[in-house]
Amino acid sequence: MSHPAAARREDLVALYREARGCTACPLSASRTQVVFGNGDADADLIFVGEAPGFHEDRQGVPFVGRAGQLLNELLMENGMSRESVFVLNVLKCRPPENRDPQPDEIATCRPYLDAQVELIEPRVICTLGNFATKLLTRSSAGITRAHGQPQLHSIGGRSVRIYPLFHPAAALRTPRVKEQLREDFSRLPGLLAQACEPPPDPPATGPAEQESRPAADQLGLFG
Ligand code: URA
């Protein structure tokens, strides 16, 4: 059962406050700050990347470097904005020298990711790159095989479409990957529209009740 957006947002803010002081793994010693994620706390679409890089660690916001610029560009090309989605990472702290996330770091950070997905209640999750894709699809199939193919999963009792995409950083390194990412991205608005279709009307028994949806809300930094 879905909870009211305002209550979910409050819980997300509480989770952010908790995460901000996290010392559960050694990455807490080398980070500048925790990069919790940002965007619309009630977004239908979320993006899950790998881990903060240099700029993200400095600014406390995910995907603000070159990979983030490409992500923003692709969103705009497809009629979406960064403000209308939520962006987060598997790891909330930067690994030194941007090395790959380690299995124990992923396992330690996982409860934050699970709680974020549960509280935001997205309809579509775009996993960016191998780490997020393997983790959330619970499959060993890597991004080269899985990209561009939506998968229906049940997360926290809700059905969610997971849509694996190449990581924008990989796209910046290889033109062919960028083309593929652009092509996969172009199918996202249709997938989102389909995922957001209301369920068929129940048989009429009385005056229809209008479902109210709170205005989009920007979960920024909380100071
Ligand atoms: N790459 C990621 O996976 N996440 C970021 O936030 C930035 C770059």
Side-chain angles (χ1 to χ4, degrees):
M1 242 273 281
S2 173
H3 296 99
R8 289 187 284 109
R9 185 184 191 278
E10 251 178 55
D11 288 351
L12 196 64
V13 173
L15 183 70
Y16 164 73
R17 295 217 166 98
E18 182 192 325
R20 223 168 32 168
C22 181
T23 53
C25 88
L27 294 182
S28 59
S30 54
R31 74 179 181 225
T32 304
Q33 59 193 310
V34 167
V35 181
F36 182 73
N38 81 334
D40 178 0
D42 192 31
D44 289 320
L45 174 61
I46 70 174
F47 289 85
V48 183
E50 186 176 306
F54 175 84
H55 297 287
E56 290 77 19
D57 175 68
R58 289 295 167 94
Q59 295 183 39
V61 179
F63 284 95
V64 288
R66 284 182 64 226
Q69 282 166 21
L70 177 57
L71 178 63
N72 295 350
E73 235 176 82
L74 290 165
L75 281 165
M76 277 177 43
E77 275 175 30
N78 289 283
M80 294 176 276
S81 69
R82 177 79 183 241
E83 291 71 32
S84 68
V85 304
F86 200 94
V87 181
L88 57 136
N89 283 304
V90 169
L91 293 190
K92 311 303 180 211
C93 297
R94 181 189 182 208
E97 312 301 327
N98 297 346
R99 63 153 170 73
D100 283 350
Q102 300 301 296
D104 56 329
E105 294 161 355
I106 294 175
T108 306
C109 219
R110 175 94 202 231
Y112 290 120
L113 172 63
D114 289 343
Q116 286 175 307
V117 171
E118 216 160 287
L119 292 170
I120 298 168
E121 297 191 350
R123 309 268 185 151
V124 176
I125 300 177
C126 285
T127 51
L128 300 173
N130 263 322
F131 283 95
T133 299
K134 289 183 178 176
L135 188 67
L136 288 175
T137 62
R138 285 178 257 120
S139 160
S140 58
I143 195 63
T144 308
R145 257 175 65 196
H147 77 91
Q149 294 167 46
Q151 308 176 18
L152 200 55
H153 284 260
S154 174
I155 301 182
R158 299 173 57 255
S159 75
V160 180
R161 285 162 175 84
I162 296 183
Y163 190 50
L165 296 171
F166 280 112
H167 195 290
L172 288 171
R173 287 191 295 267
T174 312
R176 179 73 198 104
V177 170
K178 190 172 182 181
E179 266 172 47
Q180 190 62 70
L181 174 60
R182 188 163 259 132
E183 193 182 315
D184 291 342
F185 224 100
S186 71
R187 288 196 292 275
L188 191 48
L191 177 67
L192 189 59
Q194 192 187 40
C196 295
E197 266 171 21
D201 283 343
T205 52
E209 270 185 40
Q210 193 91 56
E211 197 190 352
S212 73
R213 183 181 163 84
D217 189 3
Q218 170 76 23
L219 183 72
L221 298 174
F222 303 99

